[in-house]
Amino acid sequence: MKTRPTGNRGNADWMGSLCPTLTAMPLKYLAVPGSHDSFSFWVDEEAPVGPDQKAFVKHLAMIFRLLAKKVMKKWSMTQNLTFREQLEGGIRYFDLRVSSKPGEAGHEVYFIHGLFGHKVRDGLMDINAFLNAHRKEVVFLDFNHHYAMEEEHHRYLINMLKEVFGAKLCKINVVEDITLDYLWEKKYQVLVFYHHSSAEDCPVMWPGSKIPAPWANTTDTTKLIKFLETTLGERAKYGSFHVSQAILTPRVKTVVGGLIRGLRNYLVEKNLPIIMTWVEAQKPGVNGVNIITSDFVELVDFANTVIRLNDLLLSDRAVR
């Protein structure tokens, strides 16, 4: 694999630039950079608090109105880069949470993390425009949380995915058979994982069980790293793709302690070097890492670091 220069656009074609040894390997054995709450680069302070929030948060937002939402914004945003910028930087896995807007007519769905983000359709169109310009790049779209959605909303979203991506959608298959070579031959560029029973009969909506993403739910880097190691060790029994969520999760007292500073300044920046040391020490392959996600993917050389792990699969071959 060629080493690409750092910088936002340096990794726009990294999958297409991999050597044939790697493109013939099951994609579940390659190291792939991903982003956590991928859509949260923009949230709407004017809209109501999202249905993903607990009642007491909604109550506070009602009392303090815009001030509460400004604080929520600082703790809801886990990315600065747009989908397009993330893609150009090498991110290929997107963690997506969606919701209807209660009280709104029609079946429109929006990205959500505490506050509402862009319409899902707009985000999908941006991703599709990138894929049209980079025909060998492949993305994982993981729709893992759905809020305030009835059957009609699910139908609307599934139809939207088919409409936007069309023939790019990869049909469900044996995970081991999914290599970049296979995807290129079929002209597939999108694997959609849909964690809801509404998609069960749809051949292009992969079940959530095929992409487990165990969550440490801790503010402690030592506990996080122990959890990542343990869950990687259990990976083989699932026979699926695997997401290592290299992220810390704020508690209520964390938010109170860093109310004004927000997630990035209070929790992420000081802990990223420790998390990145773990990432740098990883190896892809049979029992190794597959997809790794991070907050604020541009703060460190995250995507490059993950992509370069694939070189270790080549040095393995040279030794044998």
Side-chain angles (χ1 to χ4, degrees):
M1 189 179 84
K2 301 168 195 162
T3 304
R4 254 145 314 283
T6 56
N8 277 354
R9 296 170 194 276
N11 291 321
D13 293 291
W14 74 263
M15 286 178 156
S17 305
L18 292 173
C19 73
T21 306
L22 297 176
T23 64
M25 277 187 193
L27 197 45
K28 71 178 213 173
Y29 296 147
L30 297 187
V32 177
S35 56
H36 168 240
D37 283 321
S38 311
F39 50 85
S40 62
F41 48 85
W42 182 84
V43 291
D44 185 0
E45 291 176 50
E46 305 296 319
V49 172
D52 60 332
Q53 292 302 293
K54 293 184 171 67
F56 80 90
V57 176
K58 293 178 186 173
H59 184 62
L60 285 174
M62 228 157 58
I63 297 169
F64 295 106
R65 299 190 183 269
L66 203 58
L67 178 64
K69 287 187 186 168
K70 284 192 183 304
V71 171
M72 282 186 74
K73 182 177 178 178
K74 286 191 173 186
W75 287 91
S76 292
M77 290 179 73
T78 64
Q79 304 299 334
N80 290 321
L81 302 184
T82 64
F83 283 132
R84 184 81 195 214
E85 289 166 337
Q86 290 181 49
L87 286 159
E88 286 172 346
I91 300 300
R92 294 293 176 269
Y93 166 92
F94 296 97
D95 163 29
L96 306 171
R97 296 139 199 244
V98 295
S99 177
S100 72
K101 272 189 188 166
E104 184 180 88
H107 301 122
E108 199 59 71
V109 281
Y110 298 81
F111 295 116
I112 192 162
H113 189 221
L115 296 170
F116 285 97
H118 286 297
K119 287 180 181 176
V120 172
R121 184 180 292 276
D122 294 340
L124 299 184
M125 297 290 275
D126 286 348
I127 292 168
N128 193 51
F130 173 86
L131 295 174
N132 283 338
H134 302 271
R135 291 291 183 176
K136 286 194 158 184
E137 300 307 294
V138 173
V139 296
F140 297 81
L141 305 183
D142 191 359
F143 287 87
N144 49 55
H145 287 72
H146 305 84
Y147 300 98
M149 285 176 65
E150 305 292 335
E151 203 59 45
E152 295 80 23
H153 294 103
H154 285 287
R155 202 173 303 125
Y156 176 81
L157 177 53
I158 291 165
N159 285 335
M160 183 200 301
L161 285 158
K162 291 179 185 171
E163 184 189 317
V164 172
F165 296 115
K168 292 188 184 78
L169 290 170
C170 176
K171 290 189 175 73
I172 300 169
N173 199 344
V174 179
V175 175
E176 282 74 11
D177 289 349
I178 306 294
T179 65
L180 284 171
D181 288 343
Y182 167 83
L183 295 166
W184 294 342
E185 182 197 335
K186 300 276 189 186
K187 296 187 166 50
Y188 293 152
Q189 288 182 274
V190 183
L191 287 93
V192 174
F193 297 85
Y194 204 92
H195 299 236
H196 194 272
S197 55
S198 302
E200 272 172 11
D201 297 326
C202 183
V204 290
M205 300 287 122
W206 290 64
S209 59
K210 293 297 180 188
I211 195 158
W215 175 42
N217 193 13
T218 181
T219 56
D220 183 325
T221 49
T222 307
K223 286 180 182 168
L224 169 66
I225 286 164
K226 188 177 179 191
F227 179 85
L228 290 170
E229 293 290 345
T230 303
T231 49
L232 262 184
E234 297 164 351
R235 186 191 161 186
K237 66 185 180 192
Y238 295 108
S240 57
F241 298 103
H242 181 84
V243 181
S244 296
Q245 296 200 63
I247 57 158
L248 295 171
T249 304
R251 301 262 193 274
V252 171
K253 67 176 184 184
T254 322
V255 176
V256 171
L259 205 58
I260 306 304
R261 291 175 66 193
L263 178 69
R264 175 179 165 176
N265 294 336
Y266 191 73
L267 191 62
V268 176
E269 284 183 349
K270 67 181 178 187
N271 290 300
L272 256 181
I274 300 165
I275 293 171
M276 286 306 294
T277 302
W278 179 82
V279 173
E280 286 161 8
Q282 294 317 294
K283 187 175 172 184
V286 177
N287 294 309
V289 289
N290 178 203
I291 295 157
I292 306 177
T293 61
S294 176
D295 288 326
F296 301 108
V297 292
E298 83 291 348
L299 288 187
V300 290
D301 203 14
F302 172 72
N304 267 326
T305 303
V306 176
I307 293 164
R308 280 199 298 262
L309 295 176
N310 290 305
D311 289 341
L312 298 170
L313 295 168
L314 297 176
S315 53
D316 264 13
R317 295 287 170 119
V319 172
R320 283 175 193 171

